[in-house]
Amino acid sequence: MISVKSQKQNIKISLEAFCAFLPWAILTFSAPLAFYSGLLMLFFLSFWYPSRFARITLAVCIVVGGAIGFGDSQFTGDMANYHRTYTQIYNGNFDAIFDYGKGVEIIMPLFWALLAFVSGFLDHTTFGILHSLCAGILFYIWLEKYAIKDLDTRYAALCVFLSLLMFNYWMPQWLLRQTFSSIFVLYALSANTRLKTLTFVLLATLCHVTGIIFFTLWWLLKKYPKFGAWCIGILCISFLVGSFFPSLYVYASFLPESFASKLVFYQHNLVGSMNDSFVTSIYLYILAIIICTWYYKESIDRRWLYIMIWYGILCLCANLIWSHFFVRVGLLYYYILLGFFTFISMQKNTLLLYLWGLVLFVNHMRSVYIAGIANLGNIQYYFYTHGLGGEWFYFLFN
């Protein structure tokens, strides 16, 4: 006879298998629905300590669903510019590899050269989705290798749920080079040898030269938190009084040309106002992380403690200047690591973690669908153009 323990184990395996593969079946018809159902299954399974196999199976489906659902979007000028460079490389103009950062930022053009050789010509949509997918997979590999390796399976599932929910799958198309640079900065901060750290810093810099700046700030907050906090304080004051860019211009002639050119771009485009930058969710989400991190500081991983507090404050100050400047400054914190930082800050209180995770999940759907449908003249995601059925089943009706 089969023991009661074996029966329970069989039921658990069957439940996990059903939950893990259901979103993959849904993905055949609807990427956005597969994204949300995969997240919901992972959230549900976290109550029963899911296996690593179930977690990875669901996580990959979530990333694929997010990349297709949110990567299949309206093409902005930046996206068109990247695709134009890719087209030039495909047509044999290899000088285009040196188009960015005065020839320094060559990683992504080299990647496009490889794509042109392996897969042939990619249209705008496939090109954009592929970058969302690659960025999402790179981020998830970092989660598995560095972020959750010491967590039990319940908290690992919750961490992946929050991290992949709040990861922005549209950014790898718009701020393409900086998104990949930021992900390599993550790897550099987590690497356990100096050689690996330097290698990832180099990769980050060759994606986007600002990678070295963001790595330095985060590394200081990690290794020398008091000095890092002083640096953040000075930056916050200079942001708010408007002296940041004028101060940099004094030393512009000493900066590498790749940095100086970006300085001109940001200063020229810094035309927003404090009112233009007020987005409730930004302040709510970041303040929740800062407050919970401070309250539970004794149990917070010291690798992230001061980054979560001080760099969060820097992001809020940057957003007071101009929302686009905040996107540049807060890309790694808000658009990549927001869910992970939410998990770290609230991990000590399981009830709070589950309740806030549910709030974030519902609000994510609300902001994408309800707010989007109510404002069809300013939509961000391409699948809205397929009508009511296409919002969920645009594969079927396209």
Side-chain angles (χ1 to χ4, degrees), residues 8 10 14 69-70 135 142 145 151 165 179 184 207 209 221 225 270 284 308 313 340 350 363 367 375-376 386 392-393:
K8 289 183 178 180
N10 290 338
S14 299
F70 304 114
W142 175 83
K145 183 173 177 60
L151 298 176
L165 168 67
T179 298
F184 284 127
C207 283
V209 293
L221 288 169
L270 193 62
L284 180 63
M308 290 161 65
I313 293 172
F340 174 71
T350 305
N363 190 60
S367 62
N375 188 22
L376 290 176
H386 297 292
W392 294 104
F393 297 100

Side-chain angles (χ1 to χ4, degrees), residues 50-65:
S51 66
R52 188 168 183 265
F53 172 79
R55 181 180 72 242
I56 293 175
T57 302
L58 281 169
V60 174
C61 183
I62 291 166
V63 172
V64 173

Side-chain angles (χ1 to χ4, degrees), residues 81-82 96-106 109 177 205-210 256-262:
N81 176 50
Y82 293 134
I97 289 174
F98 305 100
D99 277 359
Y100 302 107
K102 300 299 180 181
V104 174
E105 298 167 354
I106 61 171
R177 289 169 294 139
T205 305
L206 293 180
C207 283
H208 200 268
V209 293
T210 57
E257 191 176 0
S258 55
F259 281 104
S261 62
K262 293 186 184 299

